[in-house]
Amino acid sequence: MNRMMLRMAGIAGYAIWMCFLTISVWAQKQTVLTGEDSLHQGLNMGTSTLIGGYGEAAFQRDFNEGVSHMNLVRTVLFVGHQFNDQIAFFSELELEDAKVEGGDAGGEIAMEQAYLKFSSKRHPQNYLVAGLFIPRIGLLNEDHLPVNYNGVERPLVEQLVIPATWRELGVGYYATSSRWPLQYTVAVVNGLDAADFSHGSGIREGRFEGRDATANNLAVTASLRANPGEWQLQVSGYVGGTNGLNKRASDSLGLAHGWFALPLYLGEADVQYRHEGFHAKALGAYIRFPDASAVNKAYANNVASGMYGAYVELAYNLFARAQGRFQHQQLNMFARFEWIDLNQQIPANAIYDGTLRQSHLIVGLGYLPIPNVVIKADVRLQHTGPQNPDLIVNPNPAAPPYQQNNTFLNLGLGYSF
């Protein structure tokens, strides 16, 4: 299976480069503006306050389990205000899973963003942000409107390895070079909480997301982006502490303490190419957590010391050369291959879980009758490593054996305004 996966990855990589070199297509894919961009447009038209939002609903059929689910995945309300040409406020309030009710699992109401932006009067493309904001890490984190990415589900690598949407409290600086097609960012935010890292979800549960974040540990993020012609290339990184306890509590658990105690390192690189209706992208991310052994000893949460994920995606707008009524519509056909291993490297006191070594092939369509509305359909073929019997709690002898292959059918709707 490893040989097959390597061969598939090699073929996918070769296909991307051949497409880069030979394909010639028509009709640039439109990208819907974010609330921040829309607010700037509103200011130019004399409007100082803007209300917007986005949302999505999804249907999924799990063929192994023989069950189907429907869900209002999220609805988000954006409110922004431009105080003057230098100071603005941005906010996003998100409701997940339609409702939150006491005693029931699921559902969340949360601020996705709430920050002030301070722009330079001489160079408005250079600015500071302060508050709850989304650092520039990966592709999806900043650009997560459902009309702007392919597939009903967000890329799994950018859910499980890069825990998008990843927002934290802090201060960030964003700048654009006046001489070169370069953008760069640097930010200081609160760190993570290793006590909440959970087996099977990477570092996702360790985020604070603006709620009662410990400030005994901090993190630094940075990115560099280049836009030569039809290409976009980016590298980004994160380094931060994962223990916010004071000295007494840390000593009692045998953990180091301080601003960058129990450091976690995340590196990411991605590339995109657009030529009229053709769009290709690739992303890779790796997490290194050297003190996973100490965290497992303190909290018994079976954390890995190394995790990675990567994907490649090819897409083409079938209405690229359309005329008449279809000229401003899109029918995007895409294929994405993802591979993930959330326990690529584990310490001696962790238990290996083969089901966390996964590959996913997603093929589907997205129809946009207007740029702000999308109807999606895709099929996801999943393959995992074998299940480790040591991780099965209270095994049921009558339960069917674990199946390493599964198929999911996804249907979805999305909008942005």
Side-chain angles (χ1 to χ4, degrees):
M1 181 53 63
N2 288 337
R3 290 182 179 178
M4 184 186 73
M5 290 177 62
L6 289 172
R7 189 177 298 121
M8 291 177 67
I11 292 172
Y14 178 77
I16 286 179
W17 284 110
M18 289 300 294
C19 287
F20 285 165
L21 294 172
T22 61
I23 194 163
S24 176
V25 292
W26 301 264
Q28 180 72 30
K29 176 183 176 181
Q30 295 173 295
T31 299
V32 171
L33 298 176
T34 65
E36 181 175 338
D37 296 327
S38 300
L39 182 58
H40 294 325
Q41 286 195 342
L43 179 65
N44 294 333
M45 295 184 293
T47 303
S48 60
T49 302
L50 179 74
I51 297 176
Y54 66 91
E56 53 190 315
F59 164 92
Q60 183 174 83
R61 175 68 176 180
D62 182 329
F63 285 91
N64 275 3
E65 296 295 329
V67 297
S68 301
H69 294 280
M70 300 177 69
N71 189 32
L72 184 63
V73 181
R74 58 180 53 86
T75 53
V76 178
L77 178 66
F78 169 84
V79 178
H81 181 78
Q82 191 86 38
F83 297 100
N84 54 40
D85 59 355
Q86 292 179 267
I87 304 175
F89 170 73
F90 301 91
S91 70
E92 289 185 12
L93 179 64
E94 179 179 50
L95 169 63
E96 292 187 355
D97 302 331
K99 69 176 184 178
V100 178
E101 188 171 347
D104 289 347
E108 178 184 69
I109 298 176
M111 293 303 301
E112 189 163 274
Q113 299 191 76
Y115 66 90
L116 288 168
K117 177 181 177 182
F118 303 89
S119 301
S120 166
K121 195 167 187 177
R122 179 175 293 182
H123 303 288
Q125 72 274 19
N126 300 340
Y127 54 89
L128 283 168
V129 298
L132 180 67
F133 66 97
I134 295 174
R136 184 171 292 168
I137 303 175
L139 295 173
L140 182 73
N141 215 32
E142 284 189 311
D143 189 13
H144 51 265
L145 300 183
V147 293
N148 285 349
Y149 63 86
N150 292 311
V152 176
E153 301 172 294
R154 295 174 172 182
L156 296 171
V157 171
E158 295 195 82
Q159 295 186 59
L160 297 174
V161 182
I162 303 174
T165 51
W166 188 0
R167 65 268 193 186
E168 301 289 4
L169 285 165
V171 178
Y173 179 66
Y174 292 69
T176 300
S177 172
S178 59
R179 298 184 59 186
W180 308 98
L182 294 174
Q183 299 174 320
Y184 58 92
T185 71
V186 61
V188 178
V189 296
N190 60 264
L192 297 168
D193 186 1
D196 287 334
F197 291 172
S198 61
H199 178 76
S201 63
I203 64 174
R204 189 172 188 86
E205 300 305 318
R207 302 169 302 166
F208 283 98
E209 301 177 309
R211 179 180 180 180
D212 196 24
T214 61
N216 284 345
N217 59 320
L218 299 175
V220 176
T221 76
S223 71
L224 178 64
R225 176 183 292 175
N227 298 91
E230 297 171 318
W231 295 80
Q232 177 178 293
L233 303 96
Q234 176 177 282
V235 291
S236 63
Y238 172 99
V239 56
T242 63
N243 178 29
L245 299 176
N246 60 21
K247 183 179 186 303
R248 180 184 302 172
S250 298
D251 289 346
S252 68
L253 292 170
L255 298 175
H257 64 91
W259 282 0
F260 292 93
L262 308 181
L264 182 136
Y265 307 92
L266 188 154
E268 176 272 336
D270 60 75
V271 58
Q272 294 190 77
Y273 175 80
R274 291 182 186 271
H275 184 75
E276 300 177 349
F278 174 69
H279 186 197
K281 64 175 70 173
L283 178 146
Y286 187 81
I287 292 176
R288 177 68 177 151
F289 188 35
D291 293 304
S293 178
V295 171
N296 289 336
K297 184 178 179 181
Y299 301 115
N301 46 7
N302 199 18
V303 175
S305 55
M307 296 168 263
Y308 76 85
Y311 68 82
V312 293
E313 179 180 297
L314 297 173
Y316 178 59
N317 176 15
L318 297 176
F319 288 167
R321 300 190 67 189
Q323 300 295 323
R325 60 177 293 189
F326 298 109
Q327 184 175 359
H328 301 294
Q329 300 184 13
Q330 297 177 49
L331 182 59
N332 296 312
M333 177 177 64
F334 80 97
R336 183 171 66 245
F337 184 71
E338 305 192 46
W339 56 101
I340 303 168
D341 193 343
L342 295 183
N343 48 198
Q344 180 266 335
Q345 186 173 357
I346 61 173
N349 59 0
I351 303 174
Y352 181 78
D353 184 355
T355 67
L356 301 185
R357 188 182 74 249
Q358 305 175 358
S359 64
H360 303 266
L361 176 62
I362 306 98
V363 179
L365 292 169
Y367 170 58
L368 289 85
I370 59 175
N372 296 80
V373 172
V374 63
I375 303 168
K376 302 181 179 185
D378 64 64
V379 174
R380 175 161 60 91
L381 306 178
Q382 173 183 288
H383 175 79
T384 76
Q387 189 178 48
N388 187 339
D390 292 338
L391 290 170
I392 302 175
V393 180
N394 299 322
N396 180 4
Y402 177 77
Q403 299 184 59
Q404 293 180 233
N405 298 302
N406 198 359
T407 301
F408 300 88
L409 171 66
N410 297 300
L411 306 173
L413 298 170
Y415 65 87
S416 174
F417 65 91

